[in-house]
Amino acid sequence: MDLGGSLEGPARALVGERPRPRVDLKALFGLQSGSWAWATAVKATLAMSLSFSLAAWMFGTEIGTLAALGSMTVLYEKKTPYVYRSAALALVGLGFVASVALGSLASALAPWVPVLSIGLTAGVATWVCAAWRVDRPGPLFFVLVGAISTIAPGGLVDVPLHAAVAALGAAVGWSVSMAGAPVRARHPEYRAVAEAYRQLASLLRAVGTPDLDHDQHEASVAVAEAWRIVLLAQTRGYRTTSEAARLRALLRWVSDIHLAVTQVGLARTTPLPEKAADFAERLSSAVADPSRAPDPAELDELRRGIRPRTLESRLYGQLARAAQATRRASHDEDDERAETLHDERYPALWDSLRSSLETDSLVRPTALRMWITVTAACAFSLFLGLDRYYWVGLTATTVLQAGNVVLTMNRALQRSLGTLAGVVVGAALIALHPPLALVIVLAAVFQGLTQLVVGRNFFYASILVTPMALLLSATAAPEPITDLAQSRIIDTVVGSVFGLLGSVLLWRGTSATRLPQAIVNVLRISRECILAVLDPDVRIGPKRRYQLRRDMRAALVDLRGVYDSAIGDVPRAASTRPLWPVVVATQRTGYLALSALARDRPETAGTITLQRVDLAFRELIASLEERRTPRMGALPRLPAYPRINMELRALSNAMTSAVAQDRRAALQEAERRAQRERRRAQKDVDADL
């Protein structure tokens, strides 16, 4: 393809600065980018107030807190289609009931048994949530309801009652979460596709800037999430409707435009006109409202003076056709973009659990780390005589959810400092001896405010959640406020310390070890995609094309996630930092392979060229697996895909530099070790003299 105009030339797109997770004031107290979760806050407030009031009236205030916490099913599956959400939230509710039953049963057996039950709940919940891709809050509320159930009054005979109260709360949370289904049945799908268009607009603004690779990843995550959400909505009665066909067409358009922007971004070193990004931003508003679709003629000014076969012209043409698609309320039967998605609607739950236990999975060490750390934290607190050791385990769970060591340190500090401030507020409220009705309202409001800000900063969320926790604790087990506040501070500090120790001592280098394999996975799928495109004897059908694109995008998202985790696992991160250019070149190669796969009539190559491309990929993969410098020959010319050559060369050079840095680091470490041995030997000689 003719690159044309400003897109010609050997210049490579700028590589952005690598991610730098830090422990500083901005990380602790600054607000992250994003929007305020108003809808989630309102639902959390409503669910807690309704369940708490109903359970307190039916069963009494002491166990009413189980229903209040069980209603936090409302915080799960917030983005998924209602038809899928109904089943998923039912499973979450069953998990809450099982956690409460286990905790209540453990407390009736012996004082030390709840230590095991809380740790087991944390480990199993972490495993299942990670394997089934359950979004945050993940295992947190499973541990919370299980921990609170250990102090609920009663014995063995009351275990069914406690489970029933938790089920009542879970049912209330389910009802509140599903309340939008009758009036906005397709809102989750429209929101997911609209978010993909918004991230596309951000990517268009990043072209020609060092932020290109970062925005590329964010856009890819949004597109992958939109595919998942739309796929989950394809029920038998819905997928044949014109509304479903239109949404599938818009999803395919945003996927193809995303790849077109990739080609432009990697071939252009100057920004695109702002009008292009504004056009994509307006497309996001038109996903749910066709009347707000921009006029395709607005792009004529941008295309003026550009040769028709250039990458920019192709990009603007796709944006214009996407605008036409958004303006239509239905699609023709012959529109291939509106065809049914070539995939299974529901994920294979059992297969997901089984694959999460494989040796190369990050889920297994994450779950084991959570289980061991929470159990150890609770056991240590019980040994010290801390009455509320369950809060120690809960705090450790919260801190460990951060991920790598640096993020865990940030969260431990945020949790501890936020609790100190929140205890003052909570103690002041409890000292006023508010009536039960006011306690219910205050607890619900604090829970709603917590959900409002938790996505922006965990420190402020910790300040708000602490008064809610104190109010619930004082209601479930009344005691002097000074003892409650003091124990809350001590338990939080101890739990934060254990969470940090667990992050540092247990499987700290898992992500760093997994990173080379994640790079290899991307290269293998890239090789498969490029060879399929170049081979004139291979015909890629719609289903095969979809599968390759799905696997490629999933591998790319996984690669960046593994690197972001590994870069914060100090001190192992020192060996990960030099791999940033390797990660960038690998990402770009994968996205270029996706772009080639998305072309309607890809240009093929001869047998010799195919063999040389195959050898180049095999050598890069082998050198990564063997941790050596790649021995690359001359890469074949690919006139139709010149940027693939450029990124493969950049990848080879980056791998050579990374290997050299590893060798220098190893030599320096060996020299330092030898110097320590010489000094130790000299001290022994001096001592003998």
Side-chain angles (χ1 to χ4, degrees):
M1 176 177 289
D2 179 15
L3 295 179
S6 62
L7 298 185
E8 293 181 340
R12 184 171 182 247
L14 297 175
V15 175
E17 186 179 4
R18 65 173 174 81
R20 296 178 181 273
R22 296 173 178 171
V23 180
D24 54 21
L25 293 178
K26 182 178 180 181
L28 292 176
F29 307 116
L31 293 176
Q32 298 180 8
S33 60
S35 58
W36 301 100
W38 287 105
T40 303
V42 172
K43 290 179 179 180
T45 302
L46 185 61
M48 177 169 279
S49 58
L50 289 176
S51 60
F52 201 172
S53 301
L54 185 60
W57 173 65
M58 295 176 62
F59 304 106
T61 58
E62 291 185 339
I63 62 173
T65 54
L66 293 177
L69 295 173
S71 68
M72 290 304 100
T73 51
V74 74
L75 301 179
Y76 291 83
E77 300 296 333
K78 300 184 292 293
K79 300 178 181 179
T80 51
Y82 285 111
V83 64
Y84 173 82
R85 189 185 306 182
S86 61
L89 287 183
L91 287 177
V92 172
L94 288 176
F96 279 8
V97 171
S99 299
V100 168
L102 179 62
S104 181
L105 177 63
S107 65
L109 296 178
W112 55 269
V113 177
V115 170
L116 302 179
S117 71
I118 294 172
L120 181 62
T121 300
V124 173
T126 300
W127 169 45
V128 175
C129 288
W132 287 354
R133 297 177 60 183
V134 177
D135 202 1
R136 291 187 176 183
L140 178 61
F141 281 94
F142 294 93
V143 179
L144 180 57
V145 297
I148 293 297
S149 66
T150 62
I151 62 168
L156 283 174
V157 295
D158 294 302
V159 172
L161 174 62
H162 296 165
V165 172
L168 172 65
V172 171
W174 185 95
S175 302
V176 172
S177 182
M178 296 293 296
V183 292
R184 297 196 303 173
R186 300 300 166 186
H187 176 66
E189 300 97 280
Y190 283 115
R191 180 175 57 185
V193 177
E195 178 61 23
Y197 276 99
R198 277 190 288 271
Q199 290 296 336
L200 176 65
S202 299
L203 178 59
L204 283 165
R205 292 188 177 95
V207 171
T209 71
D211 294 329
L212 175 67
D213 295 298
H214 300 297
D215 285 84
Q216 175 70 272
H217 171 69
E218 296 298 328
S220 189
V221 170
V223 171
E225 180 67 5
W227 274 100
R228 186 178 79 93
I229 297 301
V230 172
L231 180 63
L232 290 175
Q234 302 300 298
T235 57
R236 181 175 300 176
Y238 172 70
R239 63 172 172 252
T240 56
T241 64
S242 60
E243 180 186 21
R246 175 179 179 271
L247 203 59
R248 290 194 298 267
L250 295 182
L251 176 60
R252 286 189 165 103
W253 273 120
V254 73
S255 300
D256 288 347
I257 296 172
H258 169 245
L259 298 178
V261 179
T262 296
Q263 289 183 298
V264 173
L266 296 182
R268 183 186 177 105
T269 56
T270 56
L272 286 169
E274 180 65 23
K275 192 171 185 178
D278 292 339
F279 193 88
E281 195 84 48
R282 292 161 63 192
L283 284 177
S284 68
S285 302
V287 170
D289 186 1
S291 64
R292 303 180 65 179
D295 187 354
E298 296 178 17
L299 295 173
D300 291 344
E301 182 181 350
L302 297 180
R303 286 188 283 189
R304 189 176 296 118
I306 301 178
R307 284 179 289 175
R309 288 178 57 83
T310 61
L311 295 178
E312 279 189 63
S313 178
R314 179 169 173 259
L315 169 62
Y316 297 146
Q318 287 185 335
L319 283 170
R321 290 193 291 275
Q324 293 172 352
T326 60
R327 297 163 73 92
R328 295 196 296 266
S330 62
H331 285 263
D332 299 332
E333 294 182 359
D334 296 333
D335 186 358
E336 62 179 15
R337 293 182 178 275
E339 291 179 353
T340 303
L341 304 181
H342 307 283
D343 206 342
E344 296 292 333
R345 177 173 165 238
Y346 284 115
L349 299 183
W350 177 250
D351 290 342
S352 298
L353 289 176
R354 185 173 54 188
S355 62
S356 68
L357 297 177
E358 296 176 355
T359 55
D360 61 343
S361 172
L362 292 177
V363 175
R364 185 176 65 175
T366 301
L368 288 174
R369 181 193 300 123
M370 183 71 77
W371 175 38
I372 295 172
T373 302
V374 172
T375 303
C378 292
F380 178 79
S381 303
L382 182 63
F383 174 75
L384 290 183
L386 300 179
D387 295 334
R388 297 171 190 81
Y389 54 85
Y390 50 87
W391 281 120
V392 177
L394 178 63
T395 301
T397 302
T398 306
V399 170
L400 279 177
Q401 280 189 288
N404 59 49
V405 175
V406 174
L407 296 180
T408 301
M409 173 65 80
N410 281 330
R411 178 160 284 207
L413 292 173
Q414 288 173 326
R415 181 72 172 182
S416 300
L417 296 175
T419 299
L420 289 174
V423 161
V424 176
V425 178
L429 291 174
I430 294 175
L432 297 176
H433 303 289
L436 177 61
L438 184 56
V439 169
I440 293 174
V441 171
L442 288 174
V445 169
F446 277 118
Q447 173 67 349
L449 292 175
T450 300
Q451 300 308 316
L452 177 67
V453 304
V454 68
R456 304 294 300 276
N457 187 284
F458 188 70
F459 167 71
Y460 303 113
S462 298
I463 295 177
L464 294 167
V465 77
T466 300
M468 184 270 290
L470 289 175
L471 287 168
L472 293 181
S473 296
T475 303
E479 59 182 299
I481 182 57
T482 54
D483 295 343
L484 187 63
Q486 181 181 2
S487 63
R488 180 66 173 160
I489 295 174
I490 296 174
D491 296 342
T492 299
V493 173
V494 174
S496 298
V497 171
F498 265 89
L500 183 59
L501 289 176
S503 178
V504 172
L505 299 178
L506 300 176
W507 291 281
R508 182 186 60 219
T510 303
S511 296
T513 305
R514 173 82 169 74
L515 182 59
Q517 185 59 45
I519 297 173
V520 167
N521 290 342
V522 172
L523 290 178
R524 282 178 174 161
I525 303 177
S526 299
R527 168 184 168 273
E528 188 175 359
C529 293
I530 292 174
L531 292 181
V533 168
L534 294 178
D535 194 340
D537 298 328
V538 174
R539 183 185 178 277
I540 309 176
K543 186 174 183 179
R544 178 59 176 161
R545 188 186 305 274
Y546 167 80
Q547 290 172 343
L548 286 173
R549 292 178 65 169
R550 176 199 61 194
D551 295 343
M552 183 81 262
R553 198 180 297 277
L556 287 166
V557 171
D558 178 66
L559 169 60
R560 182 58 186 271
V562 171
Y563 182 83
D564 288 346
S565 177
I567 199 65
D569 283 335
V570 294
R572 288 291 299 275
S575 62
T576 305
R577 296 189 193 102
L579 292 178
W580 173 241
V582 177
V583 171
V584 170
T586 304
Q587 283 186 151
R588 292 181 176 183
T589 301
Y591 284 120
L592 288 171
L594 273 175
S595 302
L597 198 64
R599 292 173 62 170
D600 296 329
R601 291 184 295 275
E603 299 184 32
T604 59
T607 303
I608 301 300
T609 300
L610 276 174
Q611 292 176 349
R612 293 173 64 188
V613 170
D614 187 24
L615 285 174
F617 272 101
R618 289 182 183 276
E619 173 58 23
L620 289 170
I621 292 171
S623 60
L624 265 168
E625 292 176 335
E626 299 169 11
R627 308 294 178 89
R628 60 172 173 81
T629 301
R631 296 184 288 270
M632 297 283 289
L635 289 171
R637 291 185 67 254
L638 299 174
Y641 315 99
R643 296 289 158 177
I644 292 178
N645 292 59
M646 176 178 289
E647 294 304 328
L648 287 177
R649 285 195 296 270
L651 176 57
S652 177
N653 294 335
M655 289 171 59
T656 301
S657 300
V659 170
Q661 291 187 43
D662 284 345
R663 289 175 178 171
R664 284 197 297 270
L667 290 174
Q668 291 173 356
E669 178 60 28
E671 178 61 27
R672 286 193 292 267
R673 191 180 299 111
Q675 290 178 355
R676 287 196 296 268
E677 292 296 333
R678 287 195 294 269
R679 286 195 295 267
R680 188 178 297 111
Q682 185 62 45
K683 290 180 180 179
D684 293 341
V685 172
D686 293 342
D688 293 340
L689 293 177

